[in-house]
Amino acid sequence: MNNSIHRITLIAAGAALAMGLAACNKNDDRTAGQKLDSAIAKTDAAADEAKAKAAAAADDAKAAADRAGADVRAGASDLAASASAAASAVGDALDDASITASVKAGLAKDPDLSALKIDVDTKNGTVTLQGPAPTAAAKDRAAAIARDTKGVTGVANLLKVG
């Protein structure tokens, strides 16, 4: 239905164009039918060209949308990787804080060690002990408490006997 209306419109436009050309060009030996056919052919050619341009524009738009989609997917992938790395870092920090708290609790249970005077730092599972120890045996017990704590991968015993 739409195609037939389009065709009728083109024919009417062509007829009007042919009549206008016939009135302006008295030296043209073509018949009115020939002039009408020529005008219709030109109108069809113009319509085909417009259709081709519209198809090319649609293809360009689709390509641009595909590129934009690829950019969005790449950005989302980067964001996911960053979020995963951040979650891992937060998890490591929580693990280190948990290890520090566990070591402090273990030191508090020992009557010879002062959990308040001994500084406990944990980084990536390695515990560093700093501060005073009353005896060499107490210093060794502090290192053993830290080493026996779940999640500890190493101990740097910097306690000073005295």
Side-chain angles (χ1 to χ4, degrees), residues 94-118:
L94 289 176
D95 289 345
D96 286 346
S98 172
I99 290 170
T100 298
S102 295
V103 171
K104 282 280 204 178
L107 293 175
K109 293 177 187 174
D110 190 297
D112 292 336
L113 296 170
S114 172
L116 297 177
K117 293 181 182 178
I118 297 176

Side-chain angles (χ1 to χ4, degrees), residues 14 17-39 42:
L17 182 62
M19 284 185 218
L21 289 174
C24 291
N25 190 2
K26 302 285 185 195
N27 296 332
D28 193 352
D29 292 335
R30 294 182 299 166
T31 65
Q34 290 171 332
K35 290 177 185 178
L36 180 60
D37 288 343
S38 175
K42 287 180 183 178

Side-chain angles (χ1 to χ4, degrees), residues 141-153:
R141 276 197 319 278
I145 289 169
R147 204 174 13 261
D148 294 341
T149 301
K150 181 180 177 186
V152 173
T153 58

Side-chain angles (χ1 to χ4, degrees), residues 64-78:
D66 289 346
R67 284 190 304 274
D71 290 347
V72 168
R73 283 188 295 278
S77 178
D78 291 347

Side-chain angles (χ1 to χ4, degrees), residues 2 9 21 33 51 55 78 106-108 112 120 124 127 151:
N2 192 19
T9 303
L21 289 174
K51 183 178 177 183
D78 291 347
L107 293 175
D112 292 336
V120 179
N124 298 324
V127 175

Side-chain angles (χ1 to χ4, degrees), residues 6-21:
H6 183 263
R7 188 139 214 42
I8 290 170
T9 303
L10 289 176
I11 291 171
L17 182 62
M19 284 185 218
L21 289 174

